[in-house]
Amino acid sequence: MDFLWTIAGFVVAVSLLVTVHEYGHFWVARKLGFKVLRFSVGFGPALWRRVGRRDGTEYVFAALPLGGYVKLLDEREGPVAPEDLASSFTRKAPWQRILVLLAGPAFNIIFAILVLWAILWSSGEPQVRPVVGKVVPDSIAARADLRTNDQFLRIENRDVATHSDVVLGLVEAISDDGQIEIDVQRPGSGVRTLALRVDDPEVRRALTEPSALLRGLGMRFWTPPVPAEFGKVDAGGPAALAGLQPGDRVTAIDGEPVADFPALVELISARPNRDVVVSYLRNGQAAEVTLRSTADLIEGKEIGRIRVATPPPPPWPAELVEQRDYGPLESLTVATQRAWDMTVLQAKMFARMLFGQVSLKNLSGPLSIAEFAGESAQSGLAEFLGFLIVISLSLGFLNLLPIPILDGGQIVYQLIEWFRGSPIPERVQALGQQVGIALLLMLMGIALFNDFTRQLG
């Protein structure tokens, strides 16, 4: 079932977002008088086809629902009838071509803004205050004097209201110079300004790896205690083979008391490939079973596993949650600002990745994207829409990169032609295309390597 959700979520996301992108090219091209030969949703054999009577455009729904494309009339691809020359791509002014090329990424960004606007206007958003939970002694966070129950207020003079605000603010600052000014509200002490320092560039880069930031800093946010109770129990896993079921509450591991789910994870992780005695309660009745744990290899170390999931999280205390509601104009303003902030952050992180300040492990390929799509789709409409917002902004940003095979690279070509007053020689364009393909293959290779590494633990 998880596999079906993954496939369905991935297909819907890719088809929708690429169609939005291509519709941007199509719409602006039509408005500027370009002749559009075909607008295809999907690739491969046509399942449905219609030719517009007025525009002559061929509209297609194809068999492979993974994107789509727009084909414009172009002299470089074959002879063009004299009466159609004025509507050919190559005969249009460079500024018009640039607008058509910009339209695809722009529509992805506009789509993300509109979806976020609709969510904020219709439902608002609950904002969970970012309060510090555990701080590991002698860690980076502890040396900065960060303490349990401190509430983050500002990072580098920018207000932070949620967990994600804090994480993004810390990542941006750490990937820069590692000198971070943090304002916190400390119970009984008022507002305190702390200086968090990460001087070693290698440590800073390691902290930018996926899921490494808070663990590397030696802190985690306060969350409601999760009971040591099984959520999903994987069929064929050690827990299932021992007869354990969802809802069973663990009281001890090898006689050692278990207070909550993180403690359960810690005790099991320390017991790879071992017989483990699990004491538990089921419907109020105490029982005990011995199972054989398995092991995952993580960062060269074996970590014990019994293949169970966290139970549904308990509710947050009311005093830590603020429900923010927005009117139509305010929600549009907030959605636009967030889309802009996220796009700027992507640009900064990508540039720093090129200069070795941010880990290349942040590049995700189709396997990871498909997995995230499936997980968000299973979690509900709100989570899936949030996933679409992030991916749509990423698609818009990536297509603006000045790589010749992408929209951004083609825009560079048009700018050069505009300023020099004549087209770039075809051999130069062909060489640029080859370089662009090589760069994309390199990025995809790194992303796929990261995907397989994550899948293998």
Side-chain angles (χ1 to χ4, degrees):
M1 183 60 72
D2 288 349
F3 177 75
L4 294 178
W5 275 108
T6 297
I7 296 298
F10 182 70
V11 169
V12 170
V14 171
S15 297
L16 176 61
L17 297 182
V18 175
T19 299
V20 167
H21 181 96
E22 295 301 326
Y23 183 75
H25 292 311
F26 168 79
W27 189 81
V28 173
R30 289 279 304 276
K31 291 295 181 181
L32 294 177
F34 290 74
K35 185 174 181 61
V36 182
L37 299 178
R38 181 180 300 131
F39 181 16
S40 177
V41 177
F43 298 96
L47 300 177
W48 177 87
R49 184 194 312 267
R50 184 177 70 84
V51 177
R53 293 181 180 178
R54 297 176 58 185
D55 55 20
T57 301
E58 182 184 29
Y59 299 91
V60 175
F61 280 95
L64 187 60
L66 289 174
Y69 63 94
V70 169
K71 183 177 178 61
L72 303 179
L73 183 66
D74 194 324
E75 291 176 274
R76 296 168 297 182
E77 298 180 0
V80 174
E83 64 271 18
D84 289 332
L85 282 174
S87 60
S88 170
F89 184 84
T90 50
R91 295 298 178 101
K92 291 292 185 179
W95 68 267
Q96 292 177 309
R97 296 181 228 157
I98 290 171
L99 288 179
V100 171
L101 292 165
L102 280 172
F107 268 52
N108 279 127
I109 294 171
I110 292 170
F111 172 83
I113 291 172
L114 291 177
V115 173
L116 183 55
W117 173 49
I119 292 172
L120 293 177
W121 185 14
S122 63
S123 305
E125 62 176 343
Q127 294 186 341
V128 179
R129 295 179 183 175
V131 174
V132 178
K134 180 180 179 181
V135 177
V136 177
D138 199 35
S139 63
I140 296 172
R143 291 193 291 272
D145 195 32
L146 200 63
R147 301 181 187 179
T148 299
N149 294 325
D150 282 351
Q151 179 182 330
F152 287 92
L153 299 177
R154 285 173 292 277
I155 296 178
E156 293 291 287
N157 293 318
R158 292 187 62 178
D159 292 342
V160 290
T162 65
H163 292 184
S164 60
D165 289 346
V166 173
V167 171
L168 292 176
L170 289 174
V171 167
E172 182 175 358
I174 283 172
S175 63
D176 187 11
D177 60 6
Q179 312 300 308
I180 311 171
E181 184 177 284
I182 301 172
D183 292 332
V184 299
Q185 178 75 45
R186 180 166 294 170
S189 301
V191 177
R192 303 289 296 272
T193 299
L194 311 179
L196 191 150
R197 298 172 57 94
V198 186
D199 295 320
D200 189 333
E202 293 297 326
V203 174
R204 293 205 298 269
R205 182 165 55 247
L207 287 172
T208 66
E209 293 181 7
S211 304
L213 178 66
L214 298 184
R215 184 178 70 249
L217 292 177
M219 63 149 286
R220 66 185 182 203
F221 292 116
W222 186 91
T223 56
V226 179
E229 185 176 292
F230 297 148
K232 179 182 177 183
V233 177
D234 289 354
L241 293 175
L244 295 171
Q245 301 174 6
D248 289 347
R249 177 169 294 198
V250 178
T251 57
I253 297 293
D254 289 338
E256 189 171 344
V258 176
D260 52 25
F261 199 86
L264 170 63
V265 172
E266 185 176 344
L267 290 170
I268 294 296
S269 297
R271 291 164 167 80
N273 293 318
R274 281 175 51 179
D275 289 335
V276 178
V277 178
V278 179
S279 304
Y280 64 98
L281 294 174
R282 178 182 297 169
N283 298 324
Q285 299 296 313
E288 189 174 274
V289 69
T290 300
L291 55 78
R292 181 77 179 182
S293 67
T294 60
D296 288 344
L297 190 64
I298 300 177
E299 297 179 355
K301 182 181 179 181
E302 285 192 334
I303 303 297
R305 293 285 187 262
I306 60 173
R307 309 301 175 196
V308 298
T310 311
W316 287 85
E319 63 270 17
L320 289 186
V321 181
E322 179 183 0
Q323 174 66 30
R324 290 291 306 275
D325 294 315
Y326 303 94
L329 184 58
E330 185 184 11
S331 57
L332 180 59
T333 302
V334 172
T336 303
Q337 184 63 53
R338 288 189 188 174
W340 170 256
D341 290 343
M342 191 175 297
T343 302
V344 170
L345 181 60
Q346 286 185 91
K348 287 181 180 179
M349 293 297 104
F350 189 82
R352 291 172 185 176
M353 197 179 297
L354 295 180
F355 287 100
Q357 296 170 273
V358 172
S359 173
L360 289 172
K361 293 181 180 179
N362 288 285
L363 287 175
S364 296
L367 296 180
S368 292
I369 294 173
E371 186 176 351
F372 298 148
E375 290 175 355
S376 63
Q378 278 186 285
S379 299
L381 179 60
E383 286 75 9
F384 187 63
L385 290 176
F387 167 79
L388 290 180
I389 290 169
V390 173
I391 298 300
S392 193
L393 290 173
S394 297
L395 185 60
F397 165 73
L398 288 173
N399 270 280
L400 289 174
L401 293 177
I403 298 175
I405 199 172
L406 300 176
D407 293 328
Q410 295 301 313
I411 290 170
V412 172
Y413 280 171
Q414 307 310 318
L415 287 171
I416 293 173
E417 178 178 335
W418 196 357
F419 286 112
R420 75 193 298 261
S422 61
I424 300 172
E426 288 189 12
R427 59 183 180 81
V428 175
Q429 293 191 45
L431 177 61
Q433 294 289 96
Q434 293 171 2
V435 171
I437 291 171
L439 288 172
L440 277 184
L441 288 175
M442 181 181 70
L443 291 174
M444 289 176 62
I446 295 171
L448 282 171
F449 175 80
N450 290 340
D451 280 358
F452 286 118
T453 300
R454 292 184 190 115
Q455 294 297 320
L456 296 173

